Amino acid sequence: MMSPWNIPCRANTLRGQLKHSWLENQVCNKTANDVATLWRTGMWDKEIDEIFPYRIDQSRQLANEMLSGFSPAQLVDQLSPLQSLPHDSRSRLKDVLHSTYLESSGIRTLSESLSQELEAFAEEFTEFLTVWNTERTDENEPALRDGWNQLQQVANSLLAVFETLPKGVVLP
Amino acid sequence: MLGLEPYEWRSNMKYFWYDHKAKGKQQPELVGFRDLATKFNASASNLPQDSMQNTCYFVHYEDGKKTQWENIARVDRKCFVVFVSSKPSSLQSAQDGVFCITDDLSEVANKLTNDKITLFTTTCSSGHPDWSVFQTKFFPEHLVAAYLLQIAKCKEVNVEMNDSFWSKASREFSQVLGEEKQSVELTLDNGQRELEKLFAELAKAKGKG
């Protein structure tokens, strides 16, 4: 899949935010020790109750919209040399570029992989929520640590898919 | 940053604009978030293209407790923005060449006169996703357009462009390769092979998309 110059698009910004600011910094780089401390102090309640579900929703949105989100068809409206073309020409260009990109890029497979790993993560997160919401005692801490370790395993698989996503508009 | 949308947490910070070219002569200027973006874009658009290849550092501010920096190999523009945290706890000492986040303007001013400290940060298309508001669309757009037209032509969708367009695309083609290396006159009829070769080389050089 070719995306020279990492030509910016909204889908790529969202991809980057989810991968770097959430999956890497908030999930994969947090140890069970870190999470146990955050659990005890209650400092992470908002993240677990609100931010994680929000990020999961955003990831679903990315998976659903990435076929058009990374499409070169959007460049037809953005590239200044093409802006003077008649509407019909631009429309035909968009259609042919989008269909060629869908045929050649493998983007559908990536979208399916993302959805699949994401749902595995969402399922594991629901289980983790159960232990997060238990009473914050010494007895319950081992279950919390186990739950986090399991969540990290599926997070790593999800991250691996994120790493295969394009980093800008894809050229066919 | 935690628990906040990018704009929200940005707006909770103080921002100072510092013009790299005026280093040592100018104090950082306190600006609003949107002014910062405006200043960045205005300054970037005035710079010549040959200033685009500079190594710089990028500062990542996270949850008021730590900073980390990442090396970005190529930064599009020689503009530096100083980001200053509103939280005293985020004061971090800096190593040589690594930006320091502080909430103290005089601290920033002192560092401006210290040659050992390099000030950043700027963003570009390969920059941090949370700072994407500063992204500049810097890529050879005539060349990209030429490539798209070739793709369309292969599918029998022909779009005519004027000579000026092809001349600009040819110039960008040469610039990407290095002008002394190759000069090519692209047209809708002859450009396909050259463009495919070029894009294949670019993809190979990047290693990944």
Side-chain angles (χ1 to χ4, degrees):
Chain A
M1 197 174 305
M2 192 166 71
S3 54
W5 298 291
N6 296 340
I7 298 171
C9 57
R10 284 183 59 199
N12 186 49
T13 300
L14 183 57
R15 174 205 62 79
Q17 288 171 342
L18 291 166
K19 174 181 172 282
H20 183 64
S21 303
W22 178 49
L23 273 178
E24 287 177 342
N25 284 348
Q26 300 294 78
V27 188
C28 296
N29 292 345
K30 289 269 190 294
T31 65
N33 277 345
D34 296 334
V35 174
T37 305
L38 292 165
W39 178 65
R40 289 239 177 220
T41 57
M43 285 174 66
W44 231 30
D45 287 350
K46 186 173 180 185
E47 270 59 43
I48 297 298
D49 293 338
E50 294 176 26
I51 304 301
F52 273 52
Y54 175 62
R55 292 301 198 188
I56 290 170
D57 281 348
Q58 282 188 309
S59 302
R60 285 195 181 107
Q61 182 196 338
L62 178 65
N64 290 336
E65 295 175 4
M66 61 189 274
L67 266 57
S68 57
F70 290 106
S71 172
Q74 65 194 287
L75 292 176
V76 176
D77 288 331
Q78 291 173 22
L79 295 173
S80 61
L82 303 180
Q83 283 176 6
S84 57
L85 290 174
H87 178 75
D88 279 2
S89 300
R90 283 164 55 178
S91 184
R92 279 187 298 135
L93 260 182
K94 283 182 201 172
D95 289 345
V96 72
L97 290 172
H98 188 65
S99 59
T100 309
Y101 144 83
L102 289 181
E103 285 164 18
S104 66
S105 64
I107 194 83
R108 279 200 179 95
T109 310
L110 282 179
S111 168
E112 286 161 11
S113 301
L114 179 59
S115 294
Q116 193 179 329
E117 294 300 337
L118 179 63
E119 292 318 314
F121 180 90
E123 197 175 315
E124 195 64 47
F125 178 69
T126 304
E127 291 190 22
F128 178 72
L129 264 181
T130 310
V131 289
W132 181 270
N133 289 323
T134 55
E135 194 181 351
R136 297 176 186 195
T137 61
D138 289 347
E139 294 74 39
N140 287 336
E141 192 174 309
L144 180 92
R145 287 168 179 270
D146 288 346
W148 182 254
N149 288 333
Q150 287 183 23
L151 185 65
Q152 270 196 326
Q153 279 187 19
V154 286
N156 281 323
S157 302
L158 181 58
L159 182 60
V161 176
F162 265 92
E163 280 166 354
T164 64
L165 299 185
K167 296 180 177 65
V169 174
V170 173
L171 302 185
Chain B
M1 169 178 175
L2 295 178
L4 297 171
E5 282 302 280
Y7 176 74
E8 199 181 342
W9 69 264
R10 285 182 189 129
S11 67
N12 285 341
M13 293 167 70
K14 293 175 189 172
Y15 299 94
F16 294 85
W17 175 256
Y18 171 66
D19 184 345
H20 165 70
K21 289 182 291 186
K23 186 173 178 182
K25 298 171 190 169
Q26 180 197 325
Q27 292 297 308
E29 177 188 354
L30 180 62
V31 294
F33 174 76
R34 294 198 181 282
D35 292 336
L36 194 61
T38 306
K39 278 177 176 288
F40 179 85
N41 288 329
S43 181
S45 64
N46 287 331
L47 288 168
Q49 290 189 4
D50 60 9
S51 69
M52 66 179 277
Q53 294 177 358
N54 297 285
T55 298
C56 190
Y57 296 102
F58 182 81
V59 176
H60 176 207
Y61 173 85
E62 187 185 24
D63 76 8
K65 289 178 184 168
K66 67 173 183 178
T67 58
Q68 61 189 48
W69 57 275
E70 299 168 7
N71 190 354
I72 292 179
R74 284 168 186 265
V75 167
D76 285 353
R77 307 293 188 189
K78 259 186 183 172
C79 293
F80 299 110
V81 180
V82 182
F83 296 103
V84 181
S85 165
S86 60
K87 296 184 180 177
S89 61
S90 67
L91 181 64
Q92 301 280 327
S93 62
Q95 298 171 3
D96 288 357
V98 180
F99 181 54
C100 178
I101 286 187
T102 173
D103 66 337
D104 182 348
L105 182 56
S106 63
E107 182 81 12
V108 176
N110 287 339
K111 289 184 187 308
L112 290 178
T113 60
N114 182 346
D115 288 339
K116 288 182 180 178
I117 300 294
T118 307
L119 289 172
F120 341 98
T121 183
T122 180
T123 56
C124 62
S125 55
S126 60
H128 192 285
D130 285 341
W131 299 102
S132 60
V133 67
F134 297 116
Q135 279 179 355
T136 52
K137 289 180 188 172
F138 191 82
F139 57 92
E141 61 176 356
H142 291 82
L143 186 56
V144 171
Y147 181 76
L148 297 180
L149 294 175
Q150 300 287 348
I151 296 290
K153 191 192 170 203
C154 291
K155 302 284 180 180
E156 299 179 351
V157 174
N158 281 296
V159 176
E160 296 294 328
M161 300 295 284
N162 60 25
D163 290 347
S164 167
F165 167 79
W166 288 106
S167 168
K168 285 175 183 167
S170 302
R171 199 177 316 136
E172 288 179 352
F173 185 97
S174 299
Q175 282 171 348
V176 169
L177 285 180
E179 286 193 38
E180 71 289 353
K181 208 172 167 182
Q182 193 168 356
S183 176
V184 172
E185 278 191 29
L186 297 178
T187 67
L188 186 59
D189 294 326
N190 76 3
Q192 183 180 348
R193 197 172 65 87
E194 296 295 343
L195 284 166
E196 281 178 353
K197 261 170 49 187
L198 171 69
F199 278 77
E201 283 296 313
L202 289 171
K204 202 167 132 191
K206 282 173 71 70
K208 55 185 177 179

